[in-house]
Amino acid sequence: MPLSRIDPAQYSLQLAEKLAQFKLDFARFGLPEPEVFASAPLNYRMRAEFRIWHEDDALDYAMFNAANPKVPVTIEAFPIADPTIAAAMPRLRERLRASETLRRRLFQADFLATLSGELLVTLIYHRRLDEAWEAAARELADELGIQLIGRSRGQKIVLGRDWLLEEFELNGRQLRYKQIEGSFSQPNGGVNRQMLGWACAQSAKLGGDLLELYCGNGNFTVALAPLFGRVLATEVSKSSVHAAQFNLEGNAVENVAMVRMSSDEISAALAGREVFQRMKDIDLAQYEFSTIFVDPPRSGLDPATLELAAGFDNILYISCNPQTLQDNVAALQATHAISAAAVFDQFPYTHHLECGLLLTRRPK
């Protein structure tokens, strides 16, 4: 994303163009008028990764243009970064410049922030980290008031925590989420809150039980669970499952069963084709599923998951790729129609657009 394209004066126009393309792409499906959830035009990005560029005594943050990937573009300011990241970047750079111990063979700096004001920085090196580095890094973390991790090949040194606690209000609830370094978290915290609010509004009238695939750290699970009788949530990443369990307990959510399974496996279990030891404590016969919630990777839903979804009255679908979403909606046209739609501008100044659909079973 070229920094020259970050122009808040153009933001509304750019979002309108993306919305128009979305409506054009989905018009053949009888798309209802979508709700539009804009981002803040600046200071919205909760994650950032920078190469560290060394030249003589200088040390700078850098990015690379895909059209000229060998020439660094040094970064003096990063206006889309969350204010916590933006405030820390120059202070961290000056401390790194001043310390041979901290700067030597430093390759990359990653930032993770929360709406609640916490910050975690990961420094990645092309050398083994020793006791002198740890002492200097601990002093740096204390001075900046951050969580700090040092990484090199085969090494991970955690000074403080390797996770942050996100916290924000949603529909009168104060939600808390453990976000683990290196695991997925939503990059635009403000728009994520809007996504959760829209998903809750769609779910409020559905009733029954919920099956959620690709639940990650429980971002949607925690928000949606009170709106359903029971929830069965699946995820394949072990660290995400642990974070989701932590988040469910931390938010006093007691009607969710978590299972570490792929979408193929849960499809086979629900169809009765296979019995899994991992589900020995889950009685599927007790569930009265009305809704399936999916938030898949950019590749969308595979054929087996599409077949599974087609058996539900309601499909609540959050997508990070409108193209694969089109393909999936086309595959479901015989059984389901779009009853609600939304777009969420997670990534301003890019062509990317997050979108949400509620698909409802057609009358027989």
Side-chain angles (χ1 to χ4, degrees), residues 56-72:
D56 298 327
D57 290 334
L59 178 149
D60 290 289
Y61 302 110
M63 289 182 167
F64 293 83
N65 191 323
N68 196 2
K70 294 186 178 181
V71 178

Side-chain angles (χ1 to χ4, degrees), residues 298-352:
R298 292 191 60 79
S299 55
L301 302 180
D302 57 44
T305 309
L306 280 169
E307 182 180 357
L308 171 66
F312 285 74
D313 288 342
N314 308 295
I315 304 168
L316 190 56
Y317 195 138
I318 298 292
S319 171
C320 59
N321 186 347
Q323 181 56 59
T324 55
L325 179 60
Q326 287 181 66
D327 298 338
N328 289 169
V329 171
L332 293 163
Q333 272 293 283
T335 55
H336 289 74
I338 301 174
S339 56
V343 296
F344 311 97
D345 199 20
Q346 281 259 24
F347 302 97
Y349 315 109
T350 77
H351 68 278
H352 293 290

Side-chain angles (χ1 to χ4, degrees), residues 2 11 14 21 25 37 57 60 66 76 106 120 122 131 147 176 184 188 190 208 239 260 301 305 310 321 338 359:
Y11 174 66
Q14 291 174 354
Q21 186 63 53
D25 290 341
F37 297 92
D57 290 334
D60 290 289
E76 286 299 320
L106 174 60
L120 189 155
T122 301
E131 292 181 359
Q147 309 300 322
R176 298 172 180 84
F184 177 79
N188 189 322
S239 63
R260 187 170 173 236
L301 302 180
T305 309
N321 186 347
I338 301 174
L359 298 112

Side-chain angles (χ1 to χ4, degrees), residues 41-61:
L42 295 174
N43 300 124
Y44 55 82
R45 181 83 185 180
M46 314 302 294
R47 301 197 315 255
E49 300 177 0
F50 300 98
R51 281 282 301 277
I52 298 298
W53 194 254
H54 303 259
E55 190 165 350
D56 298 327
D57 290 334
L59 178 149
D60 290 289
Y61 302 110

Side-chain angles (χ1 to χ4, degrees), residues 1-18 39-45 78-81 188 345-353:
M1 180 178 61
L3 295 183
S4 59
R5 294 181 58 193
I6 299 174
D7 180 0
Q10 297 297 313
Y11 174 66
S12 295
L13 176 60
Q14 291 174 354
L15 176 55
E17 290 173 349
K18 288 197 280 189
S39 172
L42 295 174
N43 300 124
Y44 55 82
R45 181 83 185 180
F78 197 56
I80 67 173
N188 189 322
D345 199 20
Q346 281 259 24
F347 302 97
Y349 315 109
T350 77
H351 68 278
H352 293 290
L353 187 66

Side-chain angles (χ1 to χ4, degrees), residues 57 118 175 178 231 271 286 307 332:
D57 290 334
E118 292 195 339
L175 303 187
K178 185 179 190 178
V231 179
Q286 296 296 313
E307 182 180 357
L332 293 163

